[in-house]
């Protein structure tokens, strides 16, 4: 698929020397982007949810901080600086309890958490990656793989530019 | 399946004469229970989510007001009076946009809203239905079918008493 942007990873890597983009945590945040897990993100409002089948096979909630939720509701694109989107994914598992009650296999619920992914908007700091910095967290700790982080922006670059490279749409 | 409770519908129907249990709306709320859709419920925090397959075939978020979320997090059972749980369901549809980007049918997202169901805890007012009053809302308006409302409590009575007749578990 055609890349819409030619993003410089050398420039992006230089960003790792800057302070963390969001919140605080007792680690160094994500490689390349320096994104940390914001305190209280689990209290953020719901943007939407999804089931990703296939190899991921997860069920996920997408939450946003106030700036992100307001932008989704108002249709503001690109997102303002400070918008943070948190994607919380869990194993997609049948609810044996519900299925026993209802007498059929119909209910699928979140199992063990897999990871939390963050998208942090800062058009200046992250200019070389479409204005977004990324992070992935497992058990509250940033995944320290730079190779993993290098996959974020190229994938999001495949989302429509008119959506500011965000896959999720707001669910009313 | 054995009913754990012998709830009096005559008593429950009498509750319809009482004021609404939660929030405000420009209708009379649900039959039997008088539950109205609280203003701002879409801003409530996430309890969990699920995919219900089969004839429902929906994807749903379960949100809670502050009392409900605190009780879920603390494991407080039965839920305190004032706890309100909102289940927002949407058609379960493939994301054609995402699937085109990823090159395979893997992404399922919320489509059109189907309905919102509320569970309102008031151990005194709703003593005859396990302490819970119920309502279903379509397009922001209460479904006025008393027959539909009569199905709520018997179904929830099949959930474990130790869970206070609530199906949903908190997703961390």
């Amino acid at each position: 698929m055609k890349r819409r942007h030619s993003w410089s990873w050398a420039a992006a890597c230089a960003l790792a020397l800057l302070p963390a983009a969001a919140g605080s945590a007792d680690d160094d945040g994500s490689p390349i982007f320096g994104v940390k897990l914001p305190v209280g993100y689990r209290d953020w409002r719901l943007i939407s949810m999804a089931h990703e089948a296939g190899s991921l096979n997860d069920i996920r909630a997408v939450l946003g901080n106030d700036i992100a939720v307001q932008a989704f509701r108002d249709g503001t694109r690109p997102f303002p600086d400070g918008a943070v989107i948190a994607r919380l994914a869990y194993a997609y598992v049948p609810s044996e309890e519900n299925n026993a009650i209802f007498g059929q296999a119909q209910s699928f619920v979140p199992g063990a958490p897999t990871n939390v992914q963050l998208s942090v908007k800062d058009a200046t700091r992250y200019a070389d990656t479409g204005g977004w910095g990324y992070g992935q967290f497992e058990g509250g700790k940033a995944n320290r793989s730079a190779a993993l982080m290098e996959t974020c922006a190229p994938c999001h670059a495949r989302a429509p530019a008119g959506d500011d490279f965000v896959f999720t749409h707001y669910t009313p």
Side-chain angles (χ1 to χ4, degrees), chain A:
Chain A
M1 182 167 291
K2 183 172 171 290
R3 286 273 296 274
R4 292 194 181 91
H5 292 262
S6 173
W7 290 338
S8 160
W9 287 108
C13 289
L15 296 172
L17 301 176
L18 298 175
S24 60
D26 59 354
D27 60 36
D28 295 329
S30 62
I32 300 174
F33 302 105
V35 166
K36 295 187 178 185
L37 200 57
V39 172
Y41 74 93
R42 183 59 185 77
D43 289 335
W44 290 355
R45 288 178 284 177
L46 179 73
I47 296 166
S48 192
M49 61 205 131
H51 165 47
E52 294 292 328
S55 57
L56 287 171
N57 200 32
D58 67 43
I59 188 166
R60 46 182 57 195
V62 180
L63 310 181
N65 69 357
D66 289 346
I67 296 172
V69 168
Q70 196 62 47
F72 269 110
R73 291 180 177 177
D74 295 343
T76 304
R77 301 290 184 280
F79 286 85
D81 281 1
V84 184
I85 300 168
R87 192 279 281 137
L88 292 67
Y90 307 83
Y92 177 78
V93 299
S95 169
E96 304 298 352
E97 178 180 295
N98 290 358
N99 291 342
I101 290 171
F102 298 122
Q104 56 185 342
Q106 71 170 56
S107 189
F108 296 88
V109 296
T114 58
N115 60 59
V116 174
Q117 291 185 338
L118 289 187
S119 301
V120 176
K121 188 66 191 268
D122 185 328
T124 304
R125 177 173 179 183
Y126 300 126
D128 290 327
T129 49
W132 291 98
Y134 299 99
Q136 178 170 309
F137 303 83
E138 290 119 16
K141 298 292 182 188
N143 186 307
R144 298 291 304 159
S145 165
L148 174 68
M149 284 300 97
E150 286 176 357
T151 67
C152 300
C155 184
H156 278 272
R158 297 156 72 182
D163 294 335
D164 198 16
F165 313 111
V166 170
F167 290 107
T168 301
H169 298 283
Y170 183 79
T171 296

